[in-house]
Amino acid sequence: FSSKNDYIIIPHHSYSTSDLLLIKGKKKGIGISATTMFRNFNLPNLEIFNQYNCISDYSYCTCKKERNDIRNGIIIYEINLTDSYSCIKLIHSAVSYNEYINI
């Protein structure tokens, strides 16, 4: 954590203990944060997901709780080191943080 992190997968589907990594991330910031849906335990935790979003340039989740799609989406972070190019691709039901919270 000596510099800004390009990409962090939020631990434990953004369960309440996922905030431990926030302490380190707040110091330098995060380029992209991502979490996965876990409907059986009503995760991600929106409060935790929001905290990660506040220190990230972009945040994503594999699905919205309200969707009836039984499979999670896929978040692809593609990097071309030769051309210094990167992009995010959201497949199936994956959504950005803004889409996630706008119910």
Side-chain angles (χ1 to χ4, degrees):
F1 288 89
S2 60
S3 62
K4 186 174 186 175
N5 293 280
D6 287 334
Y7 189 91
I8 286 184
I9 298 174
I10 303 169
H12 309 295
H13 308 277
S14 303
Y15 186 70
S16 60
T17 57
S18 299
D19 63 349
L20 299 175
L21 189 55
L22 282 167
I23 297 165
K24 302 256 183 196
K26 284 180 182 176
K27 293 179 181 177
K28 300 292 181 177
I30 300 169
I32 298 166
S33 60
T35 190
T36 53
M37 171 65 61
F38 194 15
R39 283 188 183 83
N40 292 347
F41 292 95
N42 200 30
L43 296 171
N45 177 314
L46 187 54
E47 182 180 332
I48 298 294
F49 192 19
N50 182 53
Q51 289 179 56
Y52 275 93
N53 183 64
C54 287
I55 62 170
S56 302
D57 296 333
Y58 304 97
S59 299
Y60 301 94
C61 186
T62 57
C63 193
K64 287 177 73 169
K65 293 177 188 177
E66 295 71 27
R67 292 204 177 151
N68 292 323
D69 193 347
I70 59 170
R71 62 186 177 162
N72 281 339
I74 300 167
I75 302 163
I76 298 174
Y77 182 34
E78 187 175 286
I79 303 170
N80 182 327
L81 297 175
T82 304
D83 297 329
S84 299
Y85 168 78
S86 67
C87 70
I88 292 285
K89 295 179 183 177
L90 303 178
I91 310 294
H92 301 303
S93 53
V95 293
S96 70
Y97 173 82
N98 291 331
E99 291 176 89
Y100 185 86
I101 61 169
N102 291 325
I103 299 169

XYZ file of all heavy atoms in Angstrom:
838
model
N 0.820 -1.202 0.000
C 0.000 0.000 0.000
C 0.856 1.255 0.000
O 0.551 2.222 0.664
C -0.953 -0.005 1.198
C -2.057 -0.988 1.071
C -1.909 -2.282 1.517
C -3.251 -0.617 0.469
C -2.937 -3.197 1.381
C -4.284 -1.521 0.335
C -4.125 -2.821 0.789
N 1.944 1.228 -0.731
C 2.802 2.404 -0.802
C 2.290 3.415 -1.822
O 2.689 4.559 -1.814
C 4.229 2.001 -1.140
O 4.255 1.344 -2.385
N 1.409 2.989 -2.722
C 0.830 3.904 -3.706
C -0.615 3.484 -3.962
O -1.090 2.480 -3.444
C 1.631 3.865 -5.002
O 1.584 2.579 -5.566
N -1.299 4.248 -4.797
C -2.691 3.944 -5.110
C -2.795 2.547 -5.711
O -1.997 2.168 -6.559
C -3.237 4.981 -6.092
C -4.708 4.829 -6.373
C -5.177 5.975 -7.241
C -6.659 5.942 -7.414
N -7.135 7.112 -8.153
N -3.778 1.792 -5.258
C -4.001 0.453 -5.772
C -4.887 0.517 -7.003
O -5.893 1.218 -7.009
C -4.683 -0.411 -4.702
C -3.763 -0.640 -3.533
O -2.896 -1.479 -3.596
N -3.937 0.138 -2.476
N -4.510 -0.220 -8.028
C -5.309 -0.222 -9.248
C -6.646 -0.920 -9.042
O -7.667 -0.466 -9.522
C -4.561 -0.924 -10.381
C -3.413 -0.075 -10.904
O -3.496 1.159 -10.776
O -2.458 -0.642 -11.434
N -6.626 -2.049 -8.325
C -7.830 -2.870 -8.266
C -7.873 -3.633 -6.947
O -6.883 -4.242 -6.560
C -7.798 -3.871 -9.431
C -9.054 -4.638 -9.637
C -10.041 -4.169 -10.494
C -9.277 -5.843 -8.996
C -11.202 -4.875 -10.705
C -10.441 -6.560 -9.195
C -11.408 -6.074 -10.058
O -12.554 -6.787 -10.256
N -9.000 -3.569 -6.254
C -9.178 -4.338 -5.020
C -10.500 -5.086 -5.084
O -11.542 -4.499 -5.422
C -9.166 -3.431 -3.772
C -7.745 -2.964 -3.490
C -9.739 -4.148 -2.554
C -7.573 -2.155 -2.234
N -10.462 -6.365 -4.786
C -11.686 -7.141 -4.617
C -12.050 -7.046 -3.145
O -11.280 -7.459 -2.274
C -11.492 -8.608 -5.052
C -11.139 -8.656 -6.539
C -12.749 -9.414 -4.757
C -10.786 -10.035 -7.040
N -13.210 -6.473 -2.855
C -13.638 -6.255 -1.476
C -13.846 -7.617 -0.812
O -14.572 -8.459 -1.337
C -14.924 -5.420 -1.428
C -14.706 -4.078 -2.142
C -15.369 -5.201 0.014
C -15.984 -3.287 -2.378
N -13.211 -7.867 0.337
C -13.286 -9.185 0.973
C -14.684 -9.555 1.469
O -15.491 -8.685 1.800
C -12.334 -9.062 2.170
C -11.582 -7.806 1.991
C -12.357 -6.942 1.060
N -14.937 -10.834 1.534
C -16.125 -11.409 2.186
C -17.440 -10.845 1.662
O -18.368 -10.600 2.424
C -16.062 -11.222 3.705
C -14.787 -11.671 4.314
N -14.379 -12.981 4.314
C -13.797 -10.975 4.933
C -13.211 -13.080 4.899
N -12.823 -11.884 5.271
N -17.557 -10.616 0.358
C -18.790 -10.091 -0.249
C -19.222 -8.772 0.386
O -20.399 -8.465 0.444
C -19.942 -11.092 -0.132
C -19.628 -12.452 -0.635
N -19.721 -12.781 -1.967
C -19.218 -13.575 0.014
C -19.393 -14.055 -2.114
N -19.081 -14.557 -0.941
N -18.286 -8.005 0.905
C -18.559 -6.727 1.591
C -19.278 -6.932 2.914
O -20.060 -6.109 3.358
C -19.369 -5.770 0.709
O -18.701 -5.541 -0.488
N -18.992 -8.029 3.592
C -19.518 -8.274 4.938
C -18.963 -7.195 5.878
O -18.004 -6.508 5.549
C -19.109 -9.674 5.397
C -19.716 -10.105 6.711
C -21.071 -10.376 6.804
C -18.930 -10.226 7.845
C -21.633 -10.763 8.015
C -19.485 -10.612 9.052
C -20.830 -10.879 9.135
O -21.389 -11.250 10.330
N -19.542 -7.048 7.056
C -19.170 -5.955 7.966
C -17.677 -5.918 8.299
O -17.112 -4.848 8.501
C -19.996 -6.027 9.245
O -19.775 -7.254 9.910
N -17.002 -7.066 8.340
C -15.569 -7.072 8.653
C -14.707 -6.656 7.457
O -13.496 -6.539 7.583
C -15.114 -8.466 9.135
O -15.444 -9.427 8.127
C -15.770 -8.828 10.455
N -15.316 -6.425 6.315
C -14.569 -5.993 5.134
C -14.021 -4.589 5.281
O -13.255 -4.129 4.449
C -15.467 -6.036 3.899
O -15.926 -7.333 3.666
N -14.402 -3.901 6.328
C -13.930 -2.533 6.515
C -12.485 -2.468 6.988
O -11.868 -1.418 6.951
C -14.836 -1.765 7.477
C -14.866 -2.350 8.874
O -14.359 -3.471 9.086
O -15.414 -1.672 9.768
N -11.896 -3.591 7.386
C -10.506 -3.582 7.851
C -9.541 -3.152 6.746
O -8.561 -2.478 7.005
C -10.126 -4.966 8.394
C -10.950 -5.450 9.587
C -10.563 -6.879 9.960
C -10.797 -4.515 10.766
N -9.835 -3.513 5.522
C -8.993 -3.118 4.390
C -9.167 -1.629 4.064
O -8.273 -1.008 3.496
C -9.330 -3.968 3.173
C -8.442 -3.878 1.946
C -6.985 -4.164 2.292
C -8.924 -4.834 0.880
N -10.290 -1.052 4.449
C -10.541 0.373 4.199
C -9.497 1.263 4.859
O -9.138 2.307 4.329
C -11.923 0.775 4.723
C -13.104 0.389 3.857
C -14.404 0.544 4.629
C -13.124 1.208 2.597
N -9.019 0.858 6.020
C -8.026 1.657 6.752
C -6.808 1.900 5.875
O -6.299 3.013 5.777
C -7.642 0.957 8.070
C -8.870 0.850 8.981
C -6.499 1.669 8.771
C -8.708 -0.123 10.131
N -6.332 0.860 5.205
C -5.167 0.992 4.319
C -5.537 1.713 3.035
O -4.795 2.551 2.545
C -4.605 -0.383 3.984
C -4.196 -1.194 5.190
C -2.731 -1.195 5.321
C -2.331 -2.075 6.494
N -0.988 -1.839 6.890
N -6.714 1.403 2.476
C -7.128 1.999 1.210
C -7.386 3.485 1.304
O -7.166 4.214 0.335
N -7.848 3.958 2.439
C -8.153 5.381 2.604
C -6.904 6.242 2.495
O -6.970 7.399 2.106
C -8.831 5.627 3.949
C -10.272 5.206 3.981
C -10.901 5.467 5.332
C -12.336 4.984 5.349
N -12.955 5.124 6.660
N -5.764 5.695 2.843
C -4.520 6.470 2.815
C -4.095 6.845 1.405
O -3.594 7.933 1.170
C -3.401 5.700 3.515
C -3.622 5.546 4.999
C -2.502 4.766 5.641
C -2.759 4.602 7.135
N -1.734 3.807 7.780
N -4.282 5.947 0.458
C -3.781 6.174 -0.899
C -4.867 6.162 -1.969
O -4.640 6.599 -3.075
C -2.736 5.105 -1.258
C -1.540 5.098 -0.349
C -0.715 6.350 -0.526
C 0.502 6.298 0.381
N 1.369 7.436 0.214
N -6.037 5.625 -1.656
C -7.104 5.525 -2.639
C -7.027 4.239 -3.441
O -6.032 3.519 -3.417
N -8.106 3.957 -4.130
C -8.236 2.733 -4.916
C -8.746 3.125 -6.289
O -9.665 3.930 -6.412
C -9.228 1.761 -4.246
C -8.747 1.377 -2.843
C -9.441 0.521 -5.106
C -9.776 0.651 -2.020
N -8.167 2.575 -7.315
C -8.651 2.843 -8.668
C -10.015 2.210 -8.884
O -10.990 2.884 -9.186
N -10.085 0.896 -8.707
C -11.328 0.150 -8.935
C -11.543 -0.810 -7.782
O -10.630 -1.551 -7.397
C -11.246 -0.640 -10.252
C -11.076 0.325 -11.427
C -12.479 -1.507 -10.444
C -10.666 -0.345 -12.706
N -12.748 -0.807 -7.226
C -13.103 -1.795 -6.211
C -14.270 -2.619 -6.735
O -15.118 -2.116 -7.476
C -13.467 -1.127 -4.883
O -14.572 -0.269 -5.032
N -14.301 -3.875 -6.359
C -15.358 -4.769 -6.829
C -15.758 -5.726 -5.721
O -14.935 -6.117 -4.900
C -14.881 -5.550 -8.051
N -17.028 -6.081 -5.710
C -17.529 -7.054 -4.750
C -18.472 -8.014 -5.454
O -18.887 -7.770 -6.588
C -18.237 -6.359 -3.560
O -18.510 -7.330 -2.547
C -19.530 -5.685 -3.984
N -18.801 -9.098 -4.788
C -19.690 -10.097 -5.361
C -20.978 -10.197 -4.549
O -21.003 -9.926 -3.357
C -19.016 -11.478 -5.409
O -18.537 -11.800 -4.111
C -17.870 -11.490 -6.387
N -22.037 -10.573 -5.223
C -23.340 -10.766 -4.609
C -23.358 -12.077 -3.819
O -22.764 -13.063 -4.250
C -24.397 -10.815 -5.719
C -25.773 -11.215 -5.273
S -26.521 -10.044 -4.145
C -26.557 -8.597 -5.155
N -24.017 -12.078 -2.668
C -24.264 -13.300 -1.907
C -25.639 -13.157 -1.276
O -25.789 -12.692 -0.157
C -23.178 -13.491 -0.849
C -23.132 -14.866 -0.244
C -23.776 -15.948 -0.807
C -22.407 -15.078 0.915
C -23.712 -17.208 -0.250
C -22.330 -16.330 1.499
C -22.985 -17.397 0.912
N -26.665 -13.492 -2.051
C -28.053 -13.260 -1.644
C -28.432 -13.946 -0.340
O -29.203 -13.402 0.446
C -29.009 -13.708 -2.743
C -29.114 -12.751 -3.887
C -30.231 -13.168 -4.846
N -30.276 -12.288 -5.984
C -29.510 -12.417 -7.049
N -28.634 -13.400 -7.109
N -29.601 -11.570 -8.046
N -27.923 -15.147 -0.092
C -28.308 -15.890 1.115
C -28.022 -15.124 2.397
O -28.672 -15.341 3.415
C -27.604 -17.248 1.171
C -28.086 -18.185 0.095
O -29.101 -17.932 -0.556
N -27.365 -19.266 -0.119
N -27.036 -14.226 2.360
C -26.680 -13.452 3.544
C -26.879 -11.948 3.320
O -26.337 -11.132 4.036
C -25.236 -13.744 3.954
C -25.061 -15.144 4.453
C -24.641 -16.147 3.599
C -25.362 -15.460 5.767
C -24.497 -17.452 4.058
C -25.226 -16.761 6.236
C -24.795 -17.759 5.373
N -27.687 -11.612 2.304
C -28.019 -10.218 2.008
C -26.764 -9.356 1.831
O -26.665 -8.262 2.381
C -28.929 -9.639 3.093
C -29.682 -8.420 2.609
O -29.992 -8.303 1.431
N -29.967 -7.511 3.508
N -25.812 -9.870 1.065
C -24.567 -9.157 0.817
C -24.447 -8.816 -0.662
O -24.964 -9.556 -1.496
C -23.374 -10.017 1.251
C -23.313 -10.324 2.739
C -22.232 -11.348 3.014
C -23.078 -9.069 3.556
N -23.851 -7.733 -1.023
C -22.952 -6.937 -0.208
C -23.683 -6.023 0.780
O -24.814 -5.634 0.565
C -22.175 -6.092 -1.218
C -23.081 -5.978 -2.385
C -23.865 -7.253 -2.422
N -22.954 -5.700 1.818
C -23.417 -4.753 2.820
C -23.310 -3.367 2.178
O -22.221 -2.917 1.837
C -22.528 -4.871 4.056
C -22.863 -3.883 5.139
O -23.062 -2.706 4.873
N -22.893 -4.366 6.364
N -24.443 -2.683 2.017
C -24.435 -1.411 1.301
C -23.587 -0.356 1.996
O -22.908 0.435 1.335
C -25.862 -0.895 1.104
C -25.999 0.341 0.227
C -25.351 0.154 -1.140
C -27.458 0.719 0.065
N -23.565 -0.346 3.310
C -22.752 0.633 4.037
C -21.264 0.440 3.731
O -20.536 1.393 3.477
C -22.993 0.515 5.541
C -22.217 1.515 6.357
C -22.468 1.375 7.855
O -23.549 0.919 8.244
O -21.545 1.718 8.621
N -20.816 -0.809 3.745
C -19.406 -1.114 3.441
C -19.109 -0.817 1.967
O -18.095 -0.199 1.634
C -19.080 -2.580 3.774
C -19.279 -2.865 5.258
C -17.670 -2.950 3.311
C -18.338 -2.139 6.179
N -20.000 -1.253 1.085
C -19.821 -1.015 -0.349
C -19.722 0.492 -0.604
O -18.882 0.954 -1.379
C -20.984 -1.631 -1.113
C -20.811 -1.726 -2.604
C -19.576 -1.656 -3.214
C -21.928 -1.909 -3.414
C -19.433 -1.757 -4.593
C -21.804 -2.002 -4.788
C -20.560 -1.929 -5.382
N -20.529 1.281 0.061
C -20.495 2.735 -0.078
C -19.147 3.305 0.380
O -18.599 4.197 -0.266
C -21.630 3.366 0.717
C -21.659 4.872 0.564
O -21.673 5.382 -0.547
N -21.645 5.579 1.676
N -18.604 2.786 1.472
C -17.317 3.278 1.968
C -16.197 3.007 0.966
O -15.323 3.850 0.751
C -16.985 2.644 3.313
C -17.858 3.146 4.446
C -17.503 2.482 5.751
O -16.357 2.526 6.188
N -18.484 1.855 6.387
N -16.217 1.827 0.368
C -15.218 1.526 -0.659
C -15.405 2.428 -1.873
O -14.443 2.910 -2.461
C -15.284 0.055 -1.081
C -14.496 -0.847 -0.174
C -15.100 -1.483 0.902
C -13.140 -1.037 -0.387
C -14.373 -2.297 1.743
C -12.396 -1.857 0.441
C -13.021 -2.486 1.503
O -12.295 -3.287 2.332
N -16.654 2.671 -2.245
C -16.919 3.541 -3.385
C -16.385 4.954 -3.144
O -15.895 5.593 -4.067
C -18.423 3.586 -3.677
C -18.725 4.409 -4.896
O -18.322 4.080 -6.003
N -19.429 5.516 -4.695
N -16.450 5.424 -1.910
C -15.985 6.775 -1.579
C -14.480 6.949 -1.781
O -14.017 8.067 -2.015
C -16.351 7.125 -0.135
S -18.107 7.451 0.081
N -13.713 5.881 -1.693
C -12.261 5.994 -1.868
C -11.793 5.387 -3.188
O -10.600 5.310 -3.448
C -11.488 5.367 -0.686
C -11.774 3.873 -0.559
C -11.783 6.106 0.598
C -10.867 3.159 0.426
N -12.743 4.959 -4.018
C -12.417 4.346 -5.308
C -12.844 5.260 -6.449
O -13.831 5.980 -6.341
C -13.152 3.012 -5.456
O -12.824 2.133 -4.406
N -12.097 5.191 -7.528
C -12.511 5.920 -8.723
C -13.775 5.293 -9.310
O -14.665 5.993 -9.777
C -11.398 5.907 -9.773
C -10.146 6.632 -9.300
O -10.260 7.540 -8.447
O -9.052 6.290 -9.788
N -13.837 3.962 -9.286
C -14.980 3.217 -9.812
C -15.225 2.001 -8.922
O -14.273 1.396 -8.430
C -14.716 2.727 -11.242
C -14.359 3.833 -12.190
C -13.028 4.107 -12.487
C -15.348 4.610 -12.788
C -12.687 5.133 -13.353
C -15.009 5.644 -13.652
C -13.683 5.893 -13.935
O -13.345 6.905 -14.790
N -16.506 1.635 -8.760
C -16.858 0.465 -7.951
C -17.903 -0.361 -8.692
O -18.786 0.199 -9.355
C -17.420 0.898 -6.596
O -16.466 1.631 -5.876
N -17.813 -1.688 -8.517
C -18.699 -2.601 -9.240
C -19.151 -3.745 -8.345
O -18.472 -4.108 -7.388
C -17.973 -3.182 -10.458
C -17.500 -2.123 -11.419
C -16.210 -1.620 -11.340
C -18.352 -1.599 -12.379
C -15.771 -0.627 -12.200
C -17.919 -0.601 -13.244
C -16.632 -0.124 -13.150
O -16.199 0.857 -13.987
N -20.297 -4.329 -8.726
C -20.803 -5.532 -8.058
C -21.242 -6.519 -9.136
O -21.655 -6.111 -10.228
C -21.987 -5.181 -7.159
S -22.564 -6.585 -6.177
N -21.188 -7.792 -8.820
C -21.526 -8.817 -9.811
C -23.021 -8.899 -10.106
O -23.419 -9.535 -11.074
C -21.027 -10.199 -9.363
O -21.580 -10.496 -8.087
C -19.514 -10.248 -9.329
N -23.863 -8.252 -9.287
C -25.309 -8.312 -9.523
C -26.020 -7.370 -8.564
O -25.451 -6.935 -7.568
C -25.802 -9.743 -9.313
S -27.474 -10.045 -9.915
N -27.282 -7.050 -8.844
C -28.128 -6.293 -7.917
C -29.012 -7.272 -7.161
O -29.452 -8.277 -7.719
C -29.014 -5.303 -8.678
C -28.258 -4.118 -9.233
C -29.152 -3.202 -10.035
C -30.067 -2.417 -9.149
N -30.765 -1.333 -9.856
N -29.278 -7.001 -5.901
C -30.094 -7.895 -5.075
C -31.482 -8.112 -5.652
O -32.063 -9.168 -5.500
C -30.231 -7.329 -3.662
C -28.944 -7.307 -2.891
C -29.151 -6.674 -1.535
C -27.821 -6.484 -0.851
N -27.933 -5.813 0.421
N -32.015 -7.109 -6.309
C -33.383 -7.168 -6.797
C -33.546 -8.015 -8.051
O -34.650 -8.382 -8.401
C -33.903 -5.747 -7.078
C -34.012 -4.886 -5.852
C -32.659 -4.465 -5.290
O -31.659 -4.382 -6.044
O -32.592 -4.245 -4.073
N -32.470 -8.325 -8.710
C -32.561 -9.122 -9.934
C -32.839 -10.574 -9.602
O -32.301 -11.134 -8.652
C -31.271 -9.008 -10.746
C -31.099 -7.606 -11.293
C -30.213 -7.634 -12.504
N -30.140 -6.287 -13.046
C -29.113 -5.810 -13.715
N -28.074 -6.566 -13.949
N -29.132 -4.584 -14.179
N -33.657 -11.192 -10.418
C -33.992 -12.596 -10.206
C -33.027 -13.540 -10.914
O -33.201 -14.738 -10.898
C -35.425 -12.872 -10.678
C -36.432 -12.184 -9.793
O -36.236 -12.100 -8.584
N -37.506 -11.693 -10.375
N -32.011 -12.991 -11.526
C -31.012 -13.789 -12.227
C -30.238 -14.615 -11.197
O -29.653 -14.070 -10.267
C -30.067 -12.863 -12.988
C -29.207 -13.597 -13.996
O -29.148 -14.840 -13.943
O -28.598 -12.928 -14.836
N -30.246 -15.921 -11.332
C -29.597 -16.774 -10.327
C -28.077 -16.797 -10.470
O -27.377 -17.211 -9.567
C -30.136 -18.221 -10.372
C -29.910 -18.833 -11.756
C -31.584 -18.267 -9.979
C -30.187 -20.312 -11.805
N -27.565 -16.348 -11.590
C -26.109 -16.343 -11.752
C -25.571 -14.933 -11.606
O -26.214 -13.954 -11.985
C -25.712 -16.928 -13.097
C -26.242 -16.152 -14.259
C -25.946 -16.833 -15.567
N -26.557 -16.025 -16.621
C -26.251 -16.108 -17.862
N -25.362 -16.982 -18.264
N -26.839 -15.349 -18.750
N -24.395 -14.834 -11.063
C -23.738 -13.540 -10.935
C -23.122 -13.129 -12.256
O -22.766 -13.972 -13.086
C -22.640 -13.599 -9.871
C -23.189 -13.512 -8.474
O -24.292 -13.034 -8.247
N -22.410 -13.963 -7.516
N -22.979 -11.819 -12.420
C -22.301 -11.306 -13.595
C -20.793 -11.448 -13.438
O -20.285 -11.957 -12.434
N -20.095 -10.960 -14.423
C -18.636 -11.044 -14.441
C -18.086 -9.640 -14.657
O -18.566 -8.897 -15.514
C -18.168 -11.969 -15.582
C -18.739 -13.379 -15.386
C -16.640 -11.997 -15.660
C -18.593 -14.263 -16.599
N -17.073 -9.288 -13.869
C -16.401 -8.005 -13.998
C -15.009 -8.280 -14.562
O -14.210 -8.975 -13.935
C -16.294 -7.300 -12.643
C -17.681 -7.109 -12.034
C -15.554 -5.975 -12.780
C -17.661 -6.801 -10.557
N -14.746 -7.772 -15.747
C -13.453 -7.993 -16.385
C -12.677 -6.683 -16.373
O -13.159 -5.660 -16.847
C -13.620 -8.476 -17.841
C -14.362 -9.814 -17.860
C -12.261 -8.577 -18.535
C -14.703 -10.298 -19.259
N -11.482 -6.730 -15.820
C -10.578 -5.577 -15.832
C -9.474 -5.918 -16.814
O -8.610 -6.732 -16.535
C -10.039 -5.339 -14.420
C -9.131 -4.141 -14.265
C -9.312 -2.990 -15.004
C -8.099 -4.157 -13.341
C -8.494 -1.889 -14.840
C -7.273 -3.051 -13.158
C -7.477 -1.923 -13.914
O -6.665 -0.827 -13.748
N -9.533 -5.325 -17.970
C -8.609 -5.648 -19.047
C -7.519 -4.585 -19.119
O -7.804 -3.391 -19.153
C -9.384 -5.691 -20.363
C -8.611 -6.177 -21.539
C -9.500 -6.296 -22.758
O -10.303 -7.241 -22.811
O -9.410 -5.416 -23.635
N -6.273 -5.039 -19.152
C -5.132 -4.131 -19.203
C -4.244 -4.499 -20.380
O -3.864 -5.654 -20.544
C -4.300 -4.209 -17.905
C -5.150 -3.903 -16.688
C -3.117 -3.271 -17.973
C -4.457 -4.186 -15.376
N -3.906 -3.492 -21.178
C -2.950 -3.659 -22.256
C -1.709 -2.872 -21.844
O -1.680 -1.646 -21.943
C -3.524 -3.140 -23.573
C -2.581 -3.325 -24.729
O -1.361 -3.261 -24.566
N -3.139 -3.549 -25.911
N -0.714 -3.562 -21.350
C 0.491 -2.893 -20.851
C 1.296 -2.223 -21.952
O 1.924 -1.192 -21.740
C 1.361 -3.888 -20.096
C 0.735 -4.493 -18.838
C 1.650 -5.549 -18.246
C 0.433 -3.411 -17.824
N 1.270 -2.799 -23.136
C 2.026 -2.241 -24.252
C 1.510 -0.853 -24.632
O 2.287 0.073 -24.849
C 1.947 -3.180 -25.473
O 2.399 -4.466 -25.094
C 2.793 -2.649 -26.615
N 0.193 -0.710 -24.698
C -0.411 0.554 -25.130
C -0.895 1.406 -23.958
O -1.563 2.423 -24.170
C -1.589 0.279 -26.067
C -1.155 -0.428 -27.343
O -0.007 -0.202 -27.783
O -1.949 -1.208 -27.884
N -0.592 0.993 -22.726
C -1.046 1.699 -21.526
C -2.554 1.943 -21.564
O -3.040 3.051 -21.360
C -0.314 3.037 -21.364
O 1.061 2.809 -21.226
N -3.282 0.884 -21.852
C -4.726 0.976 -22.008
C -5.397 0.015 -21.027
O -4.931 -1.100 -20.819
C -5.102 0.600 -23.449
C -6.567 0.371 -23.690
C -7.439 1.440 -23.825
C -7.080 -0.915 -23.772
C -8.792 1.234 -24.037
C -8.426 -1.131 -23.993
C -9.285 -0.052 -24.120
O -10.618 -0.257 -24.318
N -6.477 0.459 -20.409
C -7.251 -0.433 -19.564
C -8.730 -0.125 -19.724
O -9.114 0.990 -20.093
C -6.843 -0.286 -18.097
O -7.203 0.978 -17.606
N -9.573 -1.146 -19.473
C -11.019 -0.940 -19.538
C -11.715 -1.961 -18.653
O -11.147 -2.988 -18.300
C -11.533 -1.006 -20.972
S -11.487 -2.653 -21.700
N -12.934 -1.638 -18.308
C -13.785 -2.532 -17.523
C -14.897 -3.031 -18.425
O -15.518 -2.239 -19.147
C -14.405 -1.780 -16.324
C -13.340 -1.404 -15.310
C -15.494 -2.607 -15.670
C -12.838 -2.549 -14.468
N -15.151 -4.322 -18.383
C -16.277 -4.911 -19.112
C -17.193 -5.579 -18.095
O -16.720 -6.345 -17.250
C -15.781 -5.929 -20.136
C -14.944 -5.326 -21.239
C -14.460 -6.378 -22.200
C -13.571 -5.766 -23.264
N -13.031 -6.784 -24.167
N -18.474 -5.260 -18.174
C -19.468 -5.856 -17.279
C -20.303 -6.843 -18.087
O -20.972 -6.461 -19.040
C -20.354 -4.774 -16.664
C -19.610 -3.680 -15.890
C -20.584 -2.633 -15.377
C -18.821 -4.281 -14.735
N -20.242 -8.111 -17.699
C -20.915 -9.182 -18.421
C -22.116 -9.673 -17.607
O -22.060 -9.743 -16.380
C -19.939 -10.363 -18.668
C -18.623 -9.878 -19.272
C -20.581 -11.460 -19.506
C -18.725 -9.301 -20.649
N -23.182 -10.030 -18.320
C -24.432 -10.526 -17.731
C -25.004 -9.499 -16.757
O -25.275 -8.384 -17.153
C -24.239 -11.887 -17.066
C -23.740 -12.949 -17.991
N -24.398 -13.318 -19.149
C -22.622 -13.708 -17.951
C -23.719 -14.258 -19.761
N -22.626 -14.517 -19.073
N -25.130 -9.823 -15.489
C -25.833 -8.950 -14.540
C -24.906 -8.081 -13.695
O -25.353 -7.453 -12.737
C -26.732 -9.794 -13.638
O -26.003 -10.825 -13.034
N -23.626 -7.987 -14.030
C -22.703 -7.117 -13.285
C -23.087 -5.654 -13.500
O -23.541 -5.274 -14.579
C -21.268 -7.358 -13.735
N -22.921 -4.844 -12.440
C -23.333 -3.437 -12.494
C -22.308 -2.540 -11.804
O -21.535 -2.989 -10.965
C -24.710 -3.209 -11.818
C -25.819 -3.894 -12.591
C -24.696 -3.661 -10.365
N -22.352 -1.257 -12.171
C -21.532 -0.268 -11.482
C -22.200 0.081 -10.149
O -23.378 -0.208 -9.943
C -21.383 0.989 -12.330
O -22.618 1.674 -12.394
N -21.457 0.723 -9.270
C -21.994 1.130 -7.971
C -23.237 1.999 -8.143
O -24.239 1.802 -7.462
C -20.924 1.897 -7.180
C -21.445 2.500 -5.909
C -21.568 1.723 -4.753
C -21.805 3.842 -5.845
C -22.058 2.269 -3.582
C -22.285 4.393 -4.667
C -22.405 3.607 -3.541
O -22.898 4.153 -2.381
N -23.194 2.941 -9.080
C -24.337 3.830 -9.294
C -25.579 3.059 -9.718
O -26.692 3.362 -9.290
C -24.014 4.913 -10.323
C -22.996 5.898 -9.778
O -22.920 6.121 -8.579
N -22.203 6.453 -10.662
N -25.426 2.064 -10.569
C -26.553 1.234 -10.967
C -27.047 0.392 -9.789
O -28.229 0.145 -9.643
C -26.168 0.301 -12.117
C -25.924 1.005 -13.426
C -25.457 0.018 -14.472
O -26.315 -0.549 -15.158
O -24.227 -0.184 -14.571
N -26.115 -0.041 -8.962
C -26.458 -0.891 -7.828
C -27.353 -0.163 -6.832
O -28.321 -0.711 -6.334
C -25.185 -1.379 -7.122
C -25.473 -2.349 -6.009
C -25.606 -3.695 -6.274
C -25.643 -1.899 -4.698
C -25.890 -4.596 -5.251
C -25.931 -2.796 -3.680
C -26.052 -4.131 -3.961
O -26.351 -5.018 -2.956
N -27.024 1.096 -6.529
C -27.776 1.801 -5.493
C -29.053 2.456 -6.023
O -29.924 2.808 -5.259
C -26.920 2.870 -4.772
C -26.430 3.932 -5.744
C -25.764 2.213 -4.052
C -25.829 5.130 -5.062
N -29.163 2.635 -7.330
C -30.381 3.223 -7.904
C -31.418 2.137 -8.157
O -31.462 1.541 -9.220
C -30.058 3.965 -9.206
C -29.251 5.212 -8.956
O -29.451 5.877 -7.952
N -28.325 5.522 -9.849
N -32.234 1.930 -7.157
C -33.253 0.863 -7.221
C -34.554 1.427 -7.764
O -34.968 2.496 -7.428
C -33.472 0.257 -5.823
C -32.179 -0.357 -5.335
C -34.580 -0.768 -5.858
C -32.192 -0.758 -3.880
